[in-house]
């Protein structure tokens, strides 16, 4: 593998359907390796589902050898029990990455949507439309959980890019870049 190559495993955790996507970045070119879901509904026992998440994530790590791992944080809705279950699913996926010594980064759903569409309140459909544009994807996935995982991986890629200006000065984030280059901002 090229020294400049990054492989990012993105996860949209779930206890019934868990989305995953793997992207490869070589020489600043992003390519989609796989985008799919793990269906967990057939397992009635909650602990069986967690074991299934762990073993599937471990298998993805063996098969694709990701160098980075990004996961969406649980979203707090109205049901605390759902959030607890989601947190467990997230935890076992993270444990699989940690066991493989892969650095883990967590992103809020709002941060993921903002990095893809520019709008933290975008719908799943809007996120996917932008992903289609970014990666020249043809077909919509059967489950938006898969494209949500892709959005997490792309979000992580964007977050790890270091911008360099013409003077060779690097910036760790867009805020730093804008502060140093106000003339480049159009209102």
């Amino acid at each position: 593998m090229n020294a400049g190559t990054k492989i990012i495993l993105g996860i949209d955790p779930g206890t019934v359907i868990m989305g995953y996507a793997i992207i490869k970045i070589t020489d600043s070119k992003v390519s989609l390796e796989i985008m799919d879901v793990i269906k967990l509904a057939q397992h009635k026992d909650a602990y069986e589902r967690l074991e299934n998440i762990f073993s599937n994530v471990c298998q993805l790590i063996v098969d694709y050898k990701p160098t980075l791992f990004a996961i969406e944080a649980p979203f707090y809705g109205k049901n605390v029990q759902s959030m607890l279950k989601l947190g467990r699913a997230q935890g076992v996926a993270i444990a699989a990455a940690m066991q493989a010594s892969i650095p883990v980064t967590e992103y809020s759903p709002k941060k993921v949507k903002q990095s893809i569409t520019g709008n933290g309140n975008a719908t799943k459909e809007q996120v996917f439309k932008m992903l289609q544009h970014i990666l020249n994807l043809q077909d919509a996935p059967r489950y938006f959980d898969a494209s949500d995982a892709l959005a997490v991986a792309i979000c992580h890629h964007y977050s790890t890019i270091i911008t360099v200006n013409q003077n060779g000065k690097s910036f760790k984030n867009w805020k730093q870049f804008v502060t140093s280059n106000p003339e480049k901002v159009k209102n």
Side-chain angles (χ1 to χ4, degrees):
M1 181 169 50
N2 183 340
T5 299
K6 293 188 297 187
I7 300 172
I8 303 172
L9 170 54
I11 298 284
D12 178 37
T15 55
V16 177
I17 296 176
M18 185 185 88
Y20 66 89
I22 296 178
I23 60 171
K24 184 186 237 178
I25 300 95
T26 307
D27 300 326
S28 301
K29 184 180 182 307
V30 180
S31 60
L32 175 63
E33 298 293 299
I34 188 169
M35 175 176 65
D36 205 350
V37 296
I38 298 167
K39 294 179 186 174
L40 303 158
Q42 72 272 21
H43 303 288
K44 298 300 175 205
D45 181 63
Y47 300 110
E48 253 184 72
R49 288 181 183 189
L50 295 175
E51 191 282 326
N52 196 272
I53 291 168
F54 183 82
S55 62
N56 274 283
V57 172
C58 285
Q59 192 61 54
L60 287 168
I61 290 168
V62 167
D63 293 346
Y64 293 93
K65 298 170 183 40
T67 54
L68 299 166
F69 181 93
I71 191 163
E72 192 170 83
F75 169 73
Y76 177 71
K78 296 177 182 175
N79 188 334
V80 175
Q81 283 297 331
S82 293
M83 186 175 170
L84 288 171
K85 289 176 185 174
L86 196 57
R88 288 178 178 167
Q90 182 197 37
V92 296
I94 289 170
M98 298 296 292
Q99 179 179 317
S101 300
I102 301 170
V104 174
T105 307
E106 179 181 49
Y107 295 97
S108 71
K110 195 172 200 90
K111 169 75 174 167
V112 172
K113 290 174 183 179
Q114 177 134 23
S115 73
I116 302 301
T117 67
N119 176 2
N121 296 315
T123 65
K124 290 177 179 288
E125 292 83 1
Q126 289 170 322
V127 171
F128 178 69
K129 284 292 182 193
M130 188 57 84
L131 290 170
Q132 274 186 306
H133 178 72
I134 293 166
L135 293 171
N136 196 25
L137 302 175
Q138 301 305 310
D139 300 321
R142 190 163 175 203
Y143 299 95
F144 280 118
D145 306 84
S147 57
D148 286 351
L150 177 58
V152 172
I154 296 288
C155 172
H156 187 60
H157 168 58
Y158 289 167
S159 296
T160 59
I161 294 172
I162 296 176
T163 308
V164 179
N165 73 3
Q166 291 135 347
N167 300 330
K169 183 178 178 188
S170 65
F171 304 96
K172 293 186 179 180
N173 57 48
W174 284 110
K175 184 177 180 183
Q176 197 179 54
F177 176 82
V178 169
T179 303
S180 297
N181 298 282
E183 74 283 359
K184 296 191 185 236
V185 177
K186 293 182 181 180
N187 293 323

